[in-house]
Coordinates of all heavy atoms in Angstrom, one line a residue:
G7 N -32.0 -27.5 -44.4 CA -31.8 -26.1 -44.8 C -32.8 -25.6 -45.7 O -33.3 -24.5 -45.5
V8 N -33.2 -26.4 -46.7 CA -34.3 -26.0 -47.6 C -35.6 -25.8 -46.9 O -36.4 -24.9 -47.1 CB -34.4 -27.0 -48.8 CG1 -35.6 -26.6 -49.6 CG2 -33.1 -26.9 -49.6
A9 N -35.9 -26.8 -46.0 CA -37.1 -26.7 -45.3 C -37.2 -25.5 -44.3 O -38.2 -24.8 -44.2 CB -37.4 -28.0 -44.5
D10 N -36.1 -25.2 -43.7 CA -36.0 -24.0 -42.8 C -36.2 -22.7 -43.6 O -37.0 -21.8 -43.1 CB -34.7 -24.0 -42.1 CG -34.5 -25.0 -41.0 OD1 -35.6 -25.6 -40.6 OD2 -33.4 -25.3 -40.5
W11 N -35.6 -22.7 -44.8 CA -35.8 -21.5 -45.6 C -37.2 -21.4 -46.0 O -37.8 -20.3 -46.0 CB -34.9 -21.6 -46.8 CG -35.0 -20.4 -47.8 CD1 -34.3 -19.2 -47.7 CD2 -35.9 -20.3 -48.9 NE1 -34.7 -18.4 -48.7 CE2 -35.7 -19.1 -49.5 CE3 -36.8 -21.2 -49.5 CZ2 -36.4 -18.6 -50.6 CZ3 -37.5 -20.8 -50.6 CH2 -37.3 -19.5 -51.2
S12 N -37.8 -22.5 -46.4 CA -39.2 -22.5 -46.9 C -40.2 -22.1 -45.8 O -41.1 -21.2 -46.0 CB -39.6 -23.9 -47.4 OG -38.8 -24.3 -48.5
E13 N -39.9 -22.6 -44.6 CA -40.8 -22.2 -43.5 C -40.7 -20.8 -43.1 O -41.7 -20.1 -42.7 CB -40.5 -23.1 -42.2 CG -40.9 -24.6 -42.4 CD -40.5 -25.4 -41.1 OE1 -40.0 -24.8 -40.2 OE2 -40.6 -26.6 -41.2
R14 N -39.5 -20.2 -43.3 CA -39.3 -18.8 -43.0 C -39.8 -17.8 -44.0 O -40.4 -16.8 -43.7 CB -37.8 -18.5 -42.7 CG -37.5 -17.1 -42.3 CD -36.1 -16.9 -41.9 NE -35.7 -15.6 -41.5 CZ -35.9 -15.1 -40.3 NH1 -36.4 -15.9 -39.3 NH2 -35.6 -13.9 -40.0
W15 N -39.7 -18.2 -45.3 CA -39.9 -17.2 -46.4 C -41.0 -17.6 -47.3 O -41.5 -16.7 -48.0 CB -38.6 -17.1 -47.2 CG -37.5 -16.4 -46.4 CD1 -36.4 -17.1 -45.9 CD2 -37.4 -15.1 -46.0 NE1 -35.6 -16.2 -45.3 CE2 -36.2 -14.9 -45.3 CE3 -38.2 -13.9 -46.2 CZ2 -35.8 -13.7 -44.8 CZ3 -37.8 -12.7 -45.7 CH2 -36.6 -12.6 -45.0
V16 N -41.4 -18.8 -47.4 CA -42.4 -19.2 -48.4 C -43.8 -19.2 -47.8 O -44.1 -20.0 -46.9 CB -42.1 -20.6 -49.0 CG1 -43.2 -21.0 -50.0 CG2 -40.7 -20.6 -49.7
P17 N -44.7 -18.3 -48.2 CA -46.1 -18.3 -47.7 C -46.9 -19.4 -48.2 O -46.5 -20.2 -49.0 CB -46.6 -16.9 -48.1 CG -45.9 -16.7 -49.4 CD -44.5 -17.3 -49.3
S18 N -48.2 -19.5 -47.8 CA -49.1 -20.5 -48.3 C -49.4 -20.3 -49.8 O -49.2 -19.2 -50.3 CB -50.4 -20.5 -47.5 OG -51.2 -19.3 -47.9
P19 N -49.8 -21.4 -50.5 CA -50.1 -21.3 -51.9 C -51.2 -20.3 -52.1 O -51.2 -19.6 -53.2 CB -50.5 -22.7 -52.3 CG -49.8 -23.6 -51.3 CD -49.8 -22.8 -50.0
F20 N -52.1 -20.1 -51.2 CA -53.2 -19.1 -51.4 C -52.6 -17.7 -51.4 O -53.0 -16.8 -52.3 CB -54.2 -19.2 -50.3 CG -55.3 -18.2 -50.4 CD1 -56.0 -18.0 -51.6 CD2 -55.7 -17.4 -49.3 CE1 -57.1 -17.1 -51.7 CE2 -56.7 -16.5 -49.4 CZ -57.4 -16.3 -50.6
I21 N -51.6 -17.4 -50.6 CA -50.9 -16.1 -50.6 C -50.2 -15.9 -52.0 O -50.2 -14.8 -52.6 CB -50.0 -16.0 -49.5 CG1 -50.7 -16.0 -48.1 CG2 -49.2 -14.7 -49.6 CD1 -51.7 -14.9 -48.0
F22 N -49.6 -17.0 -52.5 CA -49.0 -16.9 -53.8 C -50.0 -16.6 -54.8 O -49.7 -15.8 -55.8 CB -48.3 -18.3 -54.1 CG -46.9 -18.3 -53.8 CD1 -46.3 -19.4 -53.1 CD2 -46.0 -17.3 -54.2 CE1 -45.0 -19.5 -52.8 CE2 -44.6 -17.4 -53.9 CZ -44.1 -18.5 -53.2
A23 N -51.2 -17.1 -54.8 CA -52.2 -16.8 -55.7 C -52.6 -15.3 -55.7 O -52.8 -14.7 -56.7 CB -53.5 -17.7 -55.5
I24 N -52.7 -14.8 -54.5 CA -53.0 -13.4 -54.3 C -51.8 -12.5 -54.9 O -52.0 -11.5 -55.6 CB -53.2 -13.0 -52.9 CG1 -54.5 -13.7 -52.4 CG2 -53.4 -11.5 -52.7 CD1 -54.8 -13.6 -50.9
V25 N -50.6 -12.9 -54.5 CA -49.4 -12.1 -55.0 C -49.4 -12.2 -56.5 O -49.1 -11.1 -57.2 CB -48.1 -12.7 -54.4 CG1 -46.9 -12.1 -55.1 CG2 -48.1 -12.5 -52.9
L26 N -49.6 -13.3 -57.1 CA -49.6 -13.4 -58.6 C -50.7 -12.6 -59.2 O -50.5 -12.0 -60.3 CB -49.7 -14.9 -59.0 CG -49.3 -15.3 -60.4 CD1 -47.9 -14.9 -60.8 CD2 -49.5 -16.7 -60.7
T27 N -51.8 -12.5 -58.5 CA -52.9 -11.7 -59.0 C -52.4 -10.2 -59.1 O -52.7 -9.5 -60.0 CB -54.1 -11.8 -58.1 OG1 -54.6 -13.1 -58.1 CG2 -55.2 -10.9 -58.5
L28 N -51.8 -9.8 -58.0 CA -51.3 -8.4 -57.9 C -50.2 -8.1 -59.0 O -50.2 -7.0 -59.6 CB -50.8 -8.1 -56.5 CG -51.8 -8.1 -55.4 CD1 -51.1 -7.9 -54.0 CD2 -52.9 -7.1 -55.6
I29 N -49.4 -9.1 -59.2 CA -48.3 -8.9 -60.3 C -49.0 -8.8 -61.6 O -48.6 -7.9 -62.4 CB -47.3 -10.1 -60.2 CG1 -46.5 -10.1 -58.9 CG2 -46.4 -10.1 -61.4 CD1 -45.6 -11.3 -58.7
A30 N -49.9 -9.7 -61.9 CA -50.6 -9.6 -63.2 C -51.4 -8.3 -63.4 O -51.4 -7.7 -64.5 CB -51.6 -10.8 -63.4
Y31 N -52.0 -7.9 -62.3 CA -52.7 -6.6 -62.3 C -51.8 -5.4 -62.6 O -52.1 -4.6 -63.5 CB -53.5 -6.4 -61.0 CG -54.2 -5.1 -60.8 CD1 -55.4 -4.9 -61.5 CD2 -53.8 -4.1 -60.0 CE1 -56.1 -3.8 -61.4 CE2 -54.5 -3.0 -59.8 CZ -55.7 -2.8 -60.5 OH -56.4 -1.6 -60.4
A32 N -50.7 -5.4 -61.9 CA -49.7 -4.3 -62.1 C -49.1 -4.3 -63.5 O -49.0 -3.3 -64.2 CB -48.6 -4.3 -61.0
A33 N -48.8 -5.5 -64.0 CA -48.2 -5.6 -65.3 C -49.2 -5.2 -66.4 O -48.8 -4.6 -67.4 CB -47.7 -7.1 -65.5
A34 N -50.4 -5.6 -66.2 CA -51.4 -5.2 -67.2 C -51.6 -3.7 -67.3 O -51.8 -3.1 -68.3 CB -52.8 -5.9 -66.9
I35 N -51.6 -3.0 -66.1 CA -51.7 -1.6 -66.1 C -50.5 -0.9 -66.8 O -50.7 0.1 -67.6 CB -51.8 -1.1 -64.6 CG1 -53.1 -1.5 -64.0 CG2 -51.7 0.5 -64.6 CD1 -53.3 -1.2 -62.5
V36 N -49.3 -1.4 -66.5 CA -48.1 -0.8 -67.1 C -47.9 -1.1 -68.5 O -47.5 -0.2 -69.3 CB -46.9 -1.3 -66.2 CG1 -45.6 -0.8 -66.9 CG2 -47.0 -0.8 -64.8
L37 N -48.2 -2.3 -69.0 CA -47.9 -2.8 -70.3 C -49.0 -2.8 -71.3 O -48.7 -3.0 -72.5 CB -47.3 -4.2 -70.2 CG -46.0 -4.3 -69.3 CD1 -45.6 -5.8 -69.2 CD2 -44.9 -3.5 -69.9
T38 N -50.2 -2.6 -70.9 CA -51.3 -2.6 -71.8 C -52.1 -1.3 -71.7 O -52.0 -0.5 -70.7 CB -52.3 -3.8 -71.6 OG1 -53.0 -3.5 -70.4 CG2 -51.5 -5.1 -71.4
P39 N -53.0 -1.0 -72.7 CA -53.8 0.2 -72.6 C -54.9 0.2 -71.5 O -55.3 1.3 -71.1 CB -54.5 0.2 -74.0 CG -53.7 -0.6 -74.9 CD -53.2 -1.7 -74.0
D40 N -55.2 -0.9 -71.0 CA -56.3 -1.0 -69.9 C -55.7 -0.3 -68.6 O -54.6 -0.6 -68.2 CB -56.7 -2.4 -69.7 CG -57.5 -3.0 -70.8 OD1 -57.9 -2.2 -71.7 OD2 -57.9 -4.2 -70.8
G41 N -56.6 0.5 -68.0 CA -56.2 1.1 -66.8 C -56.5 0.3 -65.6 O -56.9 -0.8 -65.6
A42 N -56.4 1.0 -64.4 CA -56.6 0.3 -63.1 C -58.0 -0.2 -63.0 O -58.2 -1.4 -62.6 CB -56.3 1.3 -62.0
F43 N -59.0 0.6 -63.3 CA -60.4 0.2 -63.1 C -60.8 -0.9 -64.1 O -61.4 -1.9 -63.7 CB -61.4 1.3 -63.2 CG -62.8 1.0 -63.0 CD1 -63.2 0.6 -61.7 CD2 -63.7 0.9 -64.0 CE1 -64.5 0.2 -61.5 CE2 -65.0 0.6 -63.8 CZ -65.4 0.2 -62.5
Q44 N -60.3 -0.8 -65.3 CA -60.7 -1.8 -66.4 C -60.1 -3.1 -66.0 O -60.7 -4.2 -66.3 CB -60.2 -1.3 -67.7 CG -60.5 -2.3 -68.9 CD -62.0 -2.5 -69.0 OE1 -62.8 -1.6 -69.0 NE2 -62.4 -3.8 -69.1
N45 N -58.9 -3.1 -65.4 CA -58.3 -4.4 -65.1 C -59.0 -5.1 -63.9 O -58.9 -6.3 -63.7 CB -56.8 -4.3 -64.8 CG -56.0 -4.4 -66.1 OD1 -56.1 -5.4 -66.8 ND2 -55.3 -3.3 -66.5

């Protein structure tokens, strides 16, 4: 069951790295003075 769920929903670790990059980028724009270009 866990493996089936993982195969369906969990992308590769590289995709996770990209997603985490976007999360950090968005959070920095919203929560800090630095804007989109500066980040």
Side-chain angles (χ1 to χ4, degrees):
V8 172
D10 287 343
W11 180 87
S12 298
E13 289 179 6
R14 183 175 179 83
W15 294 105
V16 179
S18 73
F20 179 49
I21 297 300
F22 264 133
I24 294 174
V25 170
L26 195 58
T27 300
L28 297 176
I29 292 173
Y31 178 72
I35 292 174
V36 173
L37 300 175
T38 73
D40 288 353
F43 182 70
Q44 181 58 46
N45 273 300

